[in-house]
Amino acid sequence: MADAHDELSVVFQALADPTRRGILSRLREGPTTVGDLAEPFAISRPAISQHLKVLERAGLIERTANAQWRTCTLRTEPLDEASAWVDRHRGEWNERFDLLSERLRALKGQTDA
C-alpha cells in the first residue's frame, strides 16, 4: 500500500503545477510533438523539458523518439487511480462538511437567540 500511496503522491505533485496541467490538457487531443506542446507557453525549452520529465516520472505521459521528432502521449491510468482515490474519500469529506454546516447553523441559532 505504501508504494501505491507514493505513486499517488507523485501524480498529485505533477498535477499541482498549472503548466503541467496545461500540457496534459493539450495531450487530450492526441499525441503531440514536444515543439507543439511548448508553443503556447512563455517558458524556455529546457523548462518545458523539466515539466515533461516530471509528467513522465509520474506516468502521466509517454515520450517516444522517431527520427528527429520527440512525441508525447497522454497516459490516463495514473489519472484514473487519482480519481478513484478522490472518489473513495469524497463521501467522508461530504459527511464532515455536512456536520460542520449543521454545527455552524446551531451556533448561529444560539447567537440569534
Side-chain angles (χ1 to χ4, degrees):
M1 183 73 167
D3 289 338
H5 179 71
D6 291 343
E7 290 173 19
L8 191 58
S9 295
V10 173
V11 170
F12 280 124
Q13 182 181 12
L15 293 173
D17 184 87
T19 299
R20 292 191 287 266
R21 290 192 308 270
I23 290 169
L24 293 176
S25 291
R26 288 197 42 128
L27 287 172
R28 285 187 331 202
E29 300 168 10
T32 306
T33 65
V34 172
D36 287 343
L37 279 175
E39 188 178 303
F41 300 103
I43 59 176
S44 68
R45 288 286 178 117
I48 286 292
S49 180
Q50 288 299 313
H51 285 296
L52 294 175
K53 285 179 186 176
V54 171
L55 292 169
E56 190 172 32
R57 212 174 11 249
L60 293 165
I61 66 167
E62 181 176 41
R63 291 198 281 182
T64 55
N66 186 2
Q68 74 271 23
W69 304 107
R70 306 277 184 255
T71 302
C72 296
T73 305
L74 179 65
R75 292 189 63 244
T76 60
E77 297 87 355
L79 293 172
D80 295 339
E81 293 169 18
S83 179
W85 184 89
V86 169
D87 288 343
R88 282 192 304 273
H89 292 83
R90 185 184 317 269
E92 180 182 338
W93 297 334
N94 286 337
E95 184 178 311
R96 288 183 182 193
F97 283 131
D98 290 346
L99 290 171
L100 177 61
S101 181
E102 288 174 25
R103 180 69 178 138
L104 290 173
R105 276 195 300 273
L107 288 173
K108 186 174 184 323
Q110 288 176 356
T111 60
D112 289 344

